[in-house]
Amino acid sequence: MMLVVQPDDGVNELIKGIDSAKTTIEITIFRFDHRKIESALTHAAKRGVFVHALIASVSSGGEKYLRKLEMRLLDQGITVGRTDNNLARYHSKLMIIDRQVLYLMGFNATYLDIARSRSFGIITKSKPIVQESVKLFEADANRRSYVAGLETLVVSPANARKQLTVFLRGARKQLLIYDPKISDIPMIHLLQQRARAGVEVKIIGKVTHHHEELTVRKLPSIRLHTRTIIRDGQRAFIGSQSLRGIELDGRREAGLIFEDAKVIGVLLKTFEKDWAMATMGALSKEQRSVSTSKTAKHLVKVVTQENASLAEIIKGSLEEAVGTNGDVKVKHKKVEREVKKAVKAVIDETLTDAMKDVKRN
């Protein structure tokens, strides 16, 4: 088993795999704009390899391009199929070489995913996994229903919720998670339960609902596009499905649960590096917030210290405006609103001028 780390590894392993093909290449495509991969597939077809590309029927933001891609690939002698529309989306990312090697990826064949995003892919020659992946590809290519036959190949909606629930529930010490958007309530509750049981839960990404007991960090300076979970430093999941209801239950997604000490070692080092970077980013944001808060408090303190003179000014202005004999009725609420507006305007103007001075200096 081999791990592909993006953006570090780029397209080299994918190109190497395509170039090594002798008989067949079967690939699922959701988004695709990488010319080097397209060129490698074209050259494979020209040298007699049967290249079968299964292209998503729906892809947000890229559907028109995918239709153009279909025509280009067909012109190059590549067999092109389109996924069914029975699911909300076909989002799995698989490539099978000669029905002997599986490339299961969390990233699309795009420059954005490969060159500018944190993501992972798995390359495996495990016969049971490859055979099950071929079964999945054939089912989707022929628009037949797929029935999961292998617990470690996690396929939505066939067995993903069940297998990922079992996987998370099995954590005893630690769960390290990359996920752009965790929003499934049962999965969030399960993570909270594990945290309450003493499991350390660290998440790089986002949790959309109330997530007390979960430590969440945003990955700075690089786009996050992987769905990866490392359990107790010994077992891991890499796939295309987030812990979101639609991705578990309504879309075609594919992932793999595996045990490989070398691969997991690299995943752990990468997560630790990213977590440190995310923590530094969070601290920097917190420090900026504290600095802003201190500045605001200092301004309030200055204004408060001048409160007596400010009160005298307001009192004098009112007496001058309405007199002291009480003949004119003052609408206190209206005056209060107008005074607040006037004070805010003065403070805004003063603060703007001060900031300009600071920048010049």
Side-chain angles (χ1 to χ4, degrees), residues 328-346:
V328 181
K329 292 183 179 179
V330 178
K331 295 181 178 179
H332 295 284
K333 290 293 182 183
K334 185 175 181 181
V335 171
E336 182 182 344
R337 285 197 301 270
E338 292 303 316
V339 169
K340 283 182 178 178
K341 284 168 61 178
V343 171
K344 182 180 182 301
V346 172

Side-chain angles (χ1 to χ4, degrees), residues 2-27:
M2 180 177 176
L3 179 70
V4 178
V5 181
Q6 302 299 11
D8 304 21
D9 294 335
V11 297
N12 291 341
E13 291 302 325
L14 276 70
I15 301 298
K16 192 186 298 183
I18 294 169
D19 290 346
S20 72
K22 295 179 175 59
T23 56
T24 62
I25 298 173
E26 294 156 305
I27 183 170

